[in-house]
């Protein structure tokens, strides 16, 4: 792959493609009439076209137009092979390349550039060129020892209403990217999305994705009319494995929106605004081409209005700059579109006059620049020696002119001619020496730049080595920390094992507590005997002791839960998972504590039942008291009846008062309320004394 720069200006390759008549043209009165006629060159290729007589009268265009190649109803493969295919080799030589289609709307620009990428027959220039580029890459990389390594990046933008939109990232730059220029990069789009690709399929996928975001609309001339200029950019960088030198090429594949006549397209509203912006942009493109052709004729430095539109600004290198450019003009052969066809032919004719100055984008190594510099200095030295020798050649010529007669005159004439020839040679050598010195200065500048770049790279390398060393130290520290952490984890594991053993021991104790909490026979085999009040007191003491035991064990469980929470926090900081067992055990303890609580509630319920039984016993006791009082009343009545008769002598008979006192003592021993019993006794005594007083009154 040669890498020398092109010193000579090269023209833009311009091809012309006519599509077949469409349905809309056949429906017009003069639509089926062909407006053009062709001429072939000596090789049989169509290279010249002109309008026929009727079309000439309509368009006032009588000249013949000659292009590099004219396609009349050609297939996609032929168009690609004779236009863009020749650019693939230039890409790998390091040259920038641009291919774009221009023409009236509906003449097949998008079909020519893109076509149907998934169809081998109808695929356009862009997918075919991408495929060929990757075939070259794959062929090189398939070698046992590849000479080059490759890096391919793709971008996709559209210029819509003078705004540059990133089709691979529509939100990028708020849909309006900026164009910048630098000495090293040339003209470029700032912030554009670039995707690195490894194969052609990835490129096709990105093209399909970007095409989804393009602006299209339907007009009377085209059902899917492009409302923007699309630019597919592919950067190919090849790095030489031997010494690291680079060649970089940038490929612009441009699908221009078509020029429109509103009376034919029927555009209104937003579509009309789009048509106005398209025509304005294409008009700026035409002005740039006209300025370039006038400048090339006059050999002047006339201003070129690249900045009048985003399109021409982006194509600065493609038109008169550092690129090899191919323009494909698409047109209709119908008489209905004769005026638009004539305008497209004039555009292509002017574009063919543009001269570009492409050069290979090479980045040589410092050693290569030193070799070139040494060769140039050697050549300058040889030229200087030749110049000095020619200047000193005057003496031999004069010596030869000392001959007598005609020989002397001839010698003088030869000396004069020799001097003139020497002067011409000296001027030529001096000019060549200046060019070499200029080239040497350029190489020296590049060598200096590369030396500076090398120094920067070395500095970055040193910094990188320092960072690597720091990373190694960090790794060592991390390893030491990890070792400490590992030892800490092992220590914690041992602690956890000990804690587990302690937990097991406490669980066993808890089971014992649970078993003690259950209802058991009374301590020491005691049985519930005595009055209801005595039973209640025994139950209260028993359950008070049980509740105290349960409360103490609950405090132990809560303390253990707190200890487990602390261990859990420590283990979480260490990053271990050994606390799962403890969590399960804590859950078990919590569940058991809940069961104990339920059991305590059950015991409380049982105590309430006992209290209810005691209340029932108390009611029964009250009923028994009533029965005793009734019995005492009956007994008093009997005693009062007997007192009316004399008693036989004998032991002292207990009085009513004594009998009531005995009953009172019995009731007190039974466990009743002393005050209530005393009250009842007093009432009984008063009731017993009342009949006696009534009887005494009657006797008197």
């Amino acid at each position: 792959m040669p890498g020398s720069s092109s010193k000579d200006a090269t023209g833009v390759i311009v091809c012309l493609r006519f599509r077949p008549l469409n349905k809309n043209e056949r429906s017009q009165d003069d639509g089926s009439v062909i407006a053009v006629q062709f001429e072939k060159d000596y090789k049989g290729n169509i290279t010249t076209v002109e309008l026929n007589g009727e079309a000439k009268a309509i368009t006032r265009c009588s000249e013949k137009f000659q292009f590099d190649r004219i396609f009349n109803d050609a297939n996609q493969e032929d168009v690609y092979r004779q236009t863009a295919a020749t650019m693939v080799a230039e890409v790998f030589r390091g040259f920038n390349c641009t291919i774009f289609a221009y023409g009236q709307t509906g003449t097949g620009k998008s079909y020519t550039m893109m076509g149907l990428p998934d169809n081998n027959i109808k695929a356009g220039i862009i997918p075919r060129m991408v495929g060929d580029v990757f075939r070259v890459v794959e062929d090189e990389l398939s070698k046992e020892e590849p000479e080059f390594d490759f890096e391919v990046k793709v971008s996709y933008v559209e210029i819509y209403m003078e705004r540059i939109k990133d089709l691979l990232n529509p939100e990028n730059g708020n849909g309006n990217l900026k164009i910048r220029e630098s000495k090293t990069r040339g003209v470029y789009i700032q912030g554009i999305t670039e995707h690195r690709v490894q194969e052609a399929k990835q490129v096709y996928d990105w093209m399909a994705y970007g095409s989804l975001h393009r602006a299209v609309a339907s007009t009377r001339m085209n059902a899917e009319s492009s409302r923007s200029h699309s630019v597919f950019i592919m950067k190919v960088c090849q790095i030489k494995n031997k010494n690291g030198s680079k060649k970089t090429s940038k490929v612009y594949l441009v699908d221009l929106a078509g020029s429109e006549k509103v009376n034919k397209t029927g555009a209104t509203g937003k579509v009309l605004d789009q048509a106005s912006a398209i025509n304005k942009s294409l008009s700026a493109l035409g002005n740039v081409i006209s300025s370039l052709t006038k400048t090339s004729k006059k050999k002047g430095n006339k201003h070129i209005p690249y900045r009048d539109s985003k399109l021409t600004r982006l194509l600065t290198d493609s038109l008169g700059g550092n690129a090899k450019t191919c323009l494909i003009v698409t047109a209709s052969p119908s008489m209905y579109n004769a005026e638009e066809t004539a305008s497209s032919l004039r555009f292509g004719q002017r574009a063919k006059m543009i001269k570009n100055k492409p050069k290979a984008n090479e980045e040589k190594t410092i050693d290569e620049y030193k070799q070139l510099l040494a060769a140039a200095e050697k050549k300058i030295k040889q030229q200087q020696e030749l110049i000095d020798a020619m200047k000193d050649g005057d003496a031999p010529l004069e010596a030869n002119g000392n001959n007598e007669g005609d020989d002397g005159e001839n010698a003088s004439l030869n000396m004069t001619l020799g001097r003139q020839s020497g002067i011409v040679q000296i001027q030529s050598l001096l000019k060549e020496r200046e060019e070499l010195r200029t080239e040497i200065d350029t190489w020296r500048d590049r060598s200096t730049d590369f030396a500076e770049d090398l120094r920067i790279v070395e500095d970055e390398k040193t910094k990188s080595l320092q960072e690597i060393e720091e990373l190694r130290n960090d790794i060592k520290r991390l390893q030491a920390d990890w070792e400490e952490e590992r030892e800490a984890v092992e220590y914690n594991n041992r602690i956890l094992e000990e804690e587990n053993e302690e937990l097991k021991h406490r669980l066993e104790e808890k089971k014992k507590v649970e078993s003690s909490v259950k209802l058991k026979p009374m301590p020491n085999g005691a049985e519930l005997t005595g009055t209801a009040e005595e039973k209640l007191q025994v139950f209260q003491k028993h359950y008070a002791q049980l509740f105290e035991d349960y409360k103490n064990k609950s405090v132990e469980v809560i303390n253990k839960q707190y200890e487990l929470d602390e261990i859990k926090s420590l283990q979480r900081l260490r990053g271990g998972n050994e606390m799962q067992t403890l969590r399960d055990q804590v859950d078990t303890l919590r569940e058991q504590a809940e069961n104990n609580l339920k059991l305590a509630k059950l015991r409380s319920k049982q105590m309430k039942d006992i209290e209810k039984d005691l209340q029932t016993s108390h009611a029964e006791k009250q009923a028994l008291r009533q029965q005793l009082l009734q019995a005492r009343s009956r007994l008093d009545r009997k005693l009062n009846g007997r007192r009316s008769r004399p008693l036989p002598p004998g032991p002292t008979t207990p009085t009513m008062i004594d009998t009531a006192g005995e009953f009172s003592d019995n009731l007190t021993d039974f466990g009743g309320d002393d005050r209530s019993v005393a009250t009842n006794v007093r009432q009984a005594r008063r009731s017993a004394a009342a009949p006696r007083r009534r009887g005494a009154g009657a006797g008197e």
Side-chain angles (χ1 to χ4, degrees):
M1 297 179 184
S4 59
S5 299
S6 176
K7 295 182 181 180
D8 300 329
T10 59
V12 175
I13 299 174
V14 181
C15 299
L16 179 63
R17 185 181 190 183
F18 286 96
R19 60 157 174 77
L21 297 176
N22 60 27
K23 182 178 180 180
N24 182 41
E25 291 170 339
R26 292 192 182 96
S27 65
Q28 304 298 326
D29 294 337
D30 56 350
S32 299
V33 179
I34 302 301
V36 294
Q37 54 190 11
F38 307 102
E39 294 182 7
K40 296 183 179 180
D41 61 6
Y42 68 96
K43 294 182 180 180
N45 298 322
I46 301 176
T47 57
T48 305
V49 62
E50 65 177 335
L51 301 177
N52 59 25
E54 185 179 354
K56 289 180 180 178
I58 295 174
T59 62
R60 297 180 182 180
C61 178
S62 59
E63 65 265 30
K64 292 182 178 182
F65 300 93
Q66 190 171 7
F67 299 99
D68 294 281
R69 187 66 190 269
I70 299 175
F71 302 98
N72 183 28
D73 196 15
N75 58 45
Q76 296 280 69
E77 177 71 16
D78 290 342
V79 172
Y80 171 71
R81 289 299 168 196
Q82 299 185 52
T83 55
T86 59
M87 293 286 188
V88 176
E90 304 299 334
V91 170
F92 288 97
R93 292 176 61 193
F95 291 99
N96 296 333
C97 296
T98 300
I99 303 171
F100 66 100
Y102 173 91
Q104 178 191 7
T105 182
T107 53
K109 296 179 299 302
S110 297
Y111 180 76
T112 298
M113 294 302 298
M114 187 66 71
L116 303 177
D118 297 332
N119 190 316
N120 293 332
I121 297 176
K122 295 184 178 181
I125 287 175
I126 296 177
R128 291 178 186 273
M129 188 171 186
V130 169
D132 282 354
V133 167
F134 276 97
R135 271 188 284 274
V136 175
V137 172
E138 291 170 1
D139 291 343
E140 177 65 25
L141 296 179
S142 63
K143 297 178 181 178
E144 293 183 1
E145 295 182 359
E147 184 180 359
F148 294 93
D149 193 11
F150 298 91
E151 182 182 60
V152 182
K153 295 180 180 179
V154 296
S155 305
Y156 200 7
V157 299
E158 74 170 357
I159 303 175
Y160 174 73
M161 303 287 285
E162 285 301 300
R163 295 169 64 90
I164 298 180
K165 178 182 177 181
D166 191 340
L167 294 178
L168 301 186
N169 184 10
E171 301 300 326
N172 187 13
N174 294 324
N176 188 19
L177 300 178
K178 305 299 181 184
I179 298 178
R180 304 297 185 205
E181 184 175 5
S182 68
K183 292 182 179 180
T184 56
R185 299 180 60 182
V187 178
Y188 65 96
I189 302 174
Q190 184 180 18
I192 188 173
T193 300
E194 292 183 332
H195 288 286
R196 186 174 180 177
V197 291
Q198 304 291 338
E199 58 182 358
K201 185 179 182 305
Q202 293 179 342
V203 182
Y204 301 151
D205 292 341
W206 284 119
M207 284 193 298
Y209 176 78
S211 298
L212 297 175
H213 301 101
R214 281 203 66 184
V216 295
S218 176
T219 67
R220 289 198 305 229
M221 296 289 291
N222 190 354
E224 293 184 0
S225 175
S226 299
R227 313 312 294 169
S228 64
H229 310 301
S230 70
V231 183
F232 187 81
I233 305 172
M234 182 167 57
K235 292 181 180 180
V236 181
C237 179
Q238 44 189 338
I239 303 99
K240 199 168 186 178
N241 294 326
K242 185 177 180 180
N243 54 21
S245 61
K246 295 182 181 180
K247 292 180 182 178
T248 304
S249 61
K250 184 166 57 177
V251 183
Y252 280 177
L253 301 171
V254 187
D255 178 15
L256 298 178
S259 58
E260 299 182 7
K261 280 190 174 182
V262 177
N263 59 348
K264 287 187 176 182
T265 61
T268 58
K270 183 178 180 180
V271 178
L272 180 60
D273 295 337
Q274 294 170 348
S276 176
I278 292 170
N279 290 337
K280 181 179 179 181
S281 177
L282 294 176
S283 177
L285 178 62
N287 293 336
V288 167
I289 291 177
S290 297
S291 299
L292 288 170
T293 56
K294 293 177 182 178
T295 301
S296 61
K297 288 181 180 180
K298 297 180 179 180
K299 306 294 182 182
N301 294 321
K302 187 178 179 180
H303 169 69
I304 309 298
Y306 289 114
R307 297 179 180 270
D308 286 356
S309 75
K310 296 289 182 66
L311 175 63
T312 53
R313 184 78 177 108
L314 187 59
L315 297 179
T316 300
D317 287 337
S318 304
L319 301 173
N322 177 25
K324 294 196 172 185
T325 304
C326 176
L327 168 64
I328 301 176
V329 179
T330 60
S332 166
S334 173
M335 185 67 71
Y336 176 69
N337 293 313
E339 292 183 359
E340 290 84 351
T341 299
S343 176
S344 298
L345 294 176
R346 294 190 185 99
F347 180 90
Q349 191 70 31
R350 290 195 301 270
K352 191 170 174 57
M353 300 171 61
I354 297 174
K355 298 297 181 182
N356 288 354
K357 299 177 181 179
K359 61 180 180 179
N361 302 306
E362 296 177 303
E363 293 182 8
K364 299 181 181 295
T365 63
I366 294 178
D367 292 337
E368 289 177 333
Y369 278 117
K370 287 181 178 180
Q371 292 175 3
L372 292 173
L373 184 60
E377 289 178 345
K378 182 178 179 181
K379 189 172 182 180
I380 289 176
K381 184 178 180 180
Q382 292 175 351
Q383 291 178 347
Q384 187 63 42
E385 291 176 352
L386 180 60
I387 291 171
D388 294 340
M390 293 181 68
K391 288 181 178 180
D392 296 339
D394 291 346
L397 289 174
E398 290 178 356
N400 292 333
N402 289 333
N403 296 331
E404 295 179 357
D406 294 337
D407 292 338
E409 293 179 0
N410 292 334
S412 176
L413 179 60
N414 290 335
M415 181 180 67
T416 302
L417 294 175
R419 286 179 177 176
Q420 293 176 353
S421 176
I423 291 171
V424 173
Q425 289 183 0
I426 289 172
Q427 292 175 348
S428 176
L429 290 173
L430 288 173
K431 184 178 180 180
E432 187 174 358
R433 185 177 68 177
E434 289 300 324
E435 291 177 355
L436 286 173
R437 284 179 175 172
T438 302
E439 191 171 358
I440 286 173
D441 292 338
T442 303
W443 287 340
R444 281 176 177 167
D445 293 340
R446 290 187 179 181
S447 178
T448 303
D449 293 340
F450 276 102
E452 182 65 21
D453 293 341
L454 182 62
R455 185 187 63 78
I456 295 173
V457 170
E458 290 293 336
D459 293 341
E460 292 178 353
K461 180 181 178 182
T462 303
K463 292 180 181 178
S464 299
L465 291 175
Q466 292 175 354
E467 292 176 356
I468 291 172
E469 188 64 27
E470 291 177 358
L471 289 174
R472 287 175 179 170
N473 295 332
D474 291 340
I475 290 172
K476 291 179 180 179
R477 287 194 296 270
L478 289 174
Q479 288 176 345
D481 294 340
W482 178 84
E483 188 65 26
E484 293 179 0
E485 292 290 337
R486 186 180 63 80
E487 293 176 356
V489 169
E490 291 178 354
Y491 174 74
N492 290 333
N493 289 337
R494 290 194 297 270
I495 293 177
L496 288 173
E497 290 176 359
E498 296 174 358
E499 293 290 341
N500 289 336
E501 293 297 328
E502 185 178 356
L503 280 174
K504 290 179 181 178
H505 178 67
R506 294 191 179 188
L507 287 173
E508 293 176 357
E509 292 180 353
K510 182 179 177 299
K511 290 179 180 179
K512 294 179 181 179
V513 172
E514 290 177 353
S515 61
S516 65
V517 171
K518 295 180 181 178
L519 285 176
K520 301 184 297 183
M522 299 303 294
N524 301 323
E527 295 181 357
L528 293 175
T529 58
T531 63
E533 283 80 359
E534 292 173 349
K535 293 179 182 180
L536 179 60
Q537 290 176 0
V538 172
F539 270 113
Q540 285 177 344
K541 291 179 181 180
H542 181 58
Y543 282 109
Q545 183 63 37
L546 291 178
F547 184 75
E548 187 66 25
D549 294 341
Y550 169 73
K551 184 171 65 174
N552 294 334
K553 294 301 179 181
S554 298
V555 171
E556 291 180 3
V557 171
I558 292 172
N559 292 335
K560 191 59 187 177
Q561 176 69 31
Y562 178 74
E563 294 175 2
L564 288 177
D565 290 339
E566 289 183 343
I567 295 172
K568 187 187 298 183
S569 300
L570 178 61
Q571 189 65 19
R572 185 165 55 249
L573 291 174
R574 296 299 185 184
N577 297 320
E578 292 82 5
M579 292 299 295
Q580 186 62 37
T581 304
L582 291 178
R583 292 192 190 100
D584 297 338
Q585 294 175 354
V586 169
D587 293 338
T588 304
L589 288 173
R590 187 181 292 110
E591 184 177 357
Q592 292 172 351
E594 292 175 356
N595 293 334
N596 291 337
L597 182 59
K598 292 179 181 178
L599 186 59
K601 290 180 180 179
L602 180 61
R603 297 296 181 268
S604 176
K605 183 178 180 182
Q606 291 176 350
M607 292 176 67
K608 290 180 180 179
D609 293 338
I610 292 172
E611 290 178 355
K612 189 181 293 184
D613 293 340
L614 289 174
Q615 291 175 359
T616 304
S617 298
H618 183 70
E620 292 175 353
K621 184 178 68 174
Q622 294 294 335
L624 182 60
R625 286 176 180 172
Q626 293 295 330
Q627 292 175 3
L628 290 173
L629 290 174
Q630 292 174 3
R632 185 182 63 184
S633 178
R634 287 193 300 270
L635 183 60
D636 287 342
R637 287 195 297 271
K638 289 180 181 181
L639 289 175
N640 291 332
R642 290 177 181 177
R643 282 181 181 179
S644 64
R645 297 189 299 270
L647 294 175
T652 302
T653 303
T655 64
M656 186 64 189
I657 300 302
D658 296 332
T659 304
E662 184 181 355
F663 286 151
S664 176
D665 294 338
N666 291 335
L667 290 174
T668 303
D669 293 339
F670 186 74
D673 189 352
D674 293 339
R675 283 180 290 183
S676 61
V677 172
T679 301
N680 293 331
V681 170
R682 285 193 297 270
Q683 290 177 354
R685 287 175 177 174
R686 284 194 298 270
S687 62
R692 288 199 299 270
R693 287 194 296 272
R694 286 194 300 270
E700 293 175 356

